[in-house]
């Protein structure tokens, strides 16, 4: 049955082991209109005429769709010449990894890549069925914008929910001063108040020795709420992670990056950092994990030149979640960092949880912890581990001369 028909009718998911993120045991869920309409321990008796689909999940774990809050939806890179510009990830690169919502941003290259291009990429992902938003700006100040100001972008450009990723403590940054950071944060905060959006500044942290000193000064010398300052990559150095823990206790949300960490490196992997965070006594709701998908993960020599690079993947989120579970952390304790916590920080109503009235963004996990089924707004993108909904330019090959159809809208 086509997904167009399924979206028009009701979909019943039976025999799911639900983590909402808290464990709810074996449940049945009725989906319709993009929402979870009903959930209960006893399967409802419904006339077949109203059911577009009924799926027996056979006791697989059902979790909220993952929210990847740091994605280069236009592609990243470019630090070692134009040939190192990373291509934009395609739809299934997210969905096969259990990601149902992304927040796009610009990084080092906020010149050749623009806020205009970012917004277009967000709209394209939405048309393909993914939940997507973005930040205006990039590494540098003054920030790249569409309207001429951060406040104007967040208030008037619907998909833009804050500013980022603004670089600090990094040789690639514009070396912002405290006054510049406070002006930017005040613009984002007031825009959030006016629009009901997140209104945060997502801060890229480099390897610089100054670490989070600029954020500490901002908290001490202004009236801005701590939640406005959202540092990411804070597990890239062990000392930086300790600084971030203290900021979380002061009210900031901190973001861990699921990047590869070599043995003996002065960094924490996302799974080890998350376990350490949860065991530290810091507020458990103020930590998130993101992938840096589509972004360049470079290393630099003493002169600041790229000496090697990797590319971030959204699949790193599920990998890190499974790694933290292997450390003995319970799923219901680890899961909020990938679902509920980013939804609350980003003020994405209906996301990050499973319950009646919530959005039907759902993922089932197989016995290995891989995504087995993925539903976004109740529409299947992955079924039994196979992609059933492709992006416009990743549709399986067709005979010569056959035209590629435009994916159905919903």
């Amino acid at each position: 049955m086509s997904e167009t028909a399924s979206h028009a009718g009701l979909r019943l998911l039976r025999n799911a082991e639900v983590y909402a993120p808290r464990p709810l045991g074996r449940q049945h869920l009725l989906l319709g209109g993009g929402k979870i309409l009903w959930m209960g321990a006893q399967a409802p008796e419904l006339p077949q005429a109203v059911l577009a689909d009924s799926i027996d999940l056979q006791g697989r774990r059902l979790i909220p769709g993952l929210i990847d809050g740091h994605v280069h939806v236009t592609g990243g890179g470019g630090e070692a010449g134009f040939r190192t510009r990373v291509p934009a990830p395609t739809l299934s690169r997210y969905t096969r990894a259990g990601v149902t919502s992304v927040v796009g941003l610009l990084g080092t290259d906020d010149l050749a890549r623009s806020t205009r291009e970012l917004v277009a990429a967000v709209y394209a992902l939405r048309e393909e069925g993914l939940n997507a938003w973005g930040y205006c700006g990039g590494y540098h100040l003054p920030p790249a914008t569409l309207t001429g100001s951060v406040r104007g972008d967040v208030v008037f450009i619907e998909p833009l929910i804050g500013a980022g990723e603004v670089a600090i403590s990094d040789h690639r940054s514009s070396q912002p001063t405290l006054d510049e950071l406070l002006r930017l944060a005040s613009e984002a905060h007031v825009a959030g108040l006016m629009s009901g959006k997140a209104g945060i500044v997502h801060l890229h942290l480099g390897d610089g020795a100054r670490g989070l000193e600029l954020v500490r000064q901002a908290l001490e010398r202004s009236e801005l709420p701590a939640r406005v300052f959202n540092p990411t990559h804070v597990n890239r150095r062990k000392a930086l992670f300790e600084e971030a823990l203290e900021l979380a206790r002061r009210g900031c949300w901190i973001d861990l990056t699921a990047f590869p960490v070599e043995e003996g490196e002065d960094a924490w992997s996302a799974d080890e950092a998350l376990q350490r965070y949860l065991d530290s006594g810091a507020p458990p709701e103020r930590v998130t994990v993101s992938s840096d998908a589509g972004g360049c993960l470079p290393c630099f020599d003493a002169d600041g030149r790229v000496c090697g690079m990797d590319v971030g993947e959204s699949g790193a989120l599920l990998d890190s979640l499974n790694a933290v579970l292997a450390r003995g952390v319970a799923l219901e304790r680890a899961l909020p960092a990938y679902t509920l916590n980013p939804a609350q920080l980003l003020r994405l109503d209906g996301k990050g949880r499973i319950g009646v009235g919530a959005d039907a963004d759902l993922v089932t996990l197989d016995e290995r912890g891989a995504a087995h089924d993925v539903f976004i707004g109740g529409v299947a993108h992955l079924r039994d581990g196979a992609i059933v909904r492709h992006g416009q330019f990743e549709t399986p090959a067709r005979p010569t001369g056959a035209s590629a159809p435009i994916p159905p809208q919903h």
Side-chain angles (χ1 to χ4, degrees), residues 164-185:
E165 60 173 316
V166 178
I168 60 174
S169 299
D170 193 302
H171 64 93
R172 295 165 291 175
S173 79
S174 53
Q175 310 303 317
T177 66
L178 175 61
D179 285 345
E180 288 174 325
L181 178 61
L182 289 176
R183 179 63 56 86
L184 175 69

Side-chain angles (χ1 to χ4, degrees), residues 117-294:
E117 182 185 5
L118 175 75
V119 171
V122 165
Y123 281 138
L125 288 172
R126 287 182 174 188
E127 289 176 2
E128 293 179 338
L130 195 72
N131 301 303
W133 295 268
Y135 293 123
C136 61
Y139 267 27
H140 307 106
L141 299 181
T145 64
L146 265 177
T147 65
S149 73
V150 167
R151 191 155 39 121
D153 276 16
V154 174
V155 171
F156 293 116
I157 310 299
E158 182 271 324
L160 299 180
I161 60 175
E165 60 173 316
V166 178
I168 60 174
S169 299
D170 193 302
H171 64 93
R172 295 165 291 175
S173 79
S174 53
Q175 310 303 317
T177 66
L178 175 61
D179 285 345
E180 288 174 325
L181 178 61
L182 289 176
R183 179 63 56 86
L184 175 69
S186 68
E187 286 270 301
H189 174 55
V190 171
L193 294 177
M194 294 176 65
S195 62
K197 299 178 185 177
I200 62 173
V201 178
H202 189 63
L203 292 165
H204 162 98
L205 265 295
D207 291 323
R210 288 177 293 175
L212 286 158
E213 175 60 27
L214 200 58
V215 179
R216 287 194 294 272
Q217 292 179 13
L219 295 182
E220 291 162 2
R221 302 184 190 182
S222 79
E223 301 78 23
L224 290 166
R227 70 169 298 278
V228 174
F229 302 95
N230 176 223
T232 187
H233 313 322
V234 299
N235 51 317
R236 71 184 309 151
R237 289 192 301 111
K238 295 176 181 178
L240 181 64
F241 176 73
E242 295 301 319
E243 291 184 64
L245 278 180
E246 182 56 34
L247 284 184
R249 295 186 180 101
R250 296 178 64 176
C252 294
W253 264 259
I254 67 169
D255 186 51
L256 311 174
T257 305
F259 45 50
V261 174
E262 300 293 333
E263 186 174 354
E265 187 178 350
D266 179 27
W268 296 122
S269 63
D271 56 285
E272 184 159 4
L274 181 56
Q275 183 181 36
R276 287 175 173 272
Y277 183 96
L278 295 173
D279 290 344
S280 73
E285 70 276 8
R286 292 191 193 139
V287 62
T288 62
V289 184
S290 64
S291 72
D292 213 350

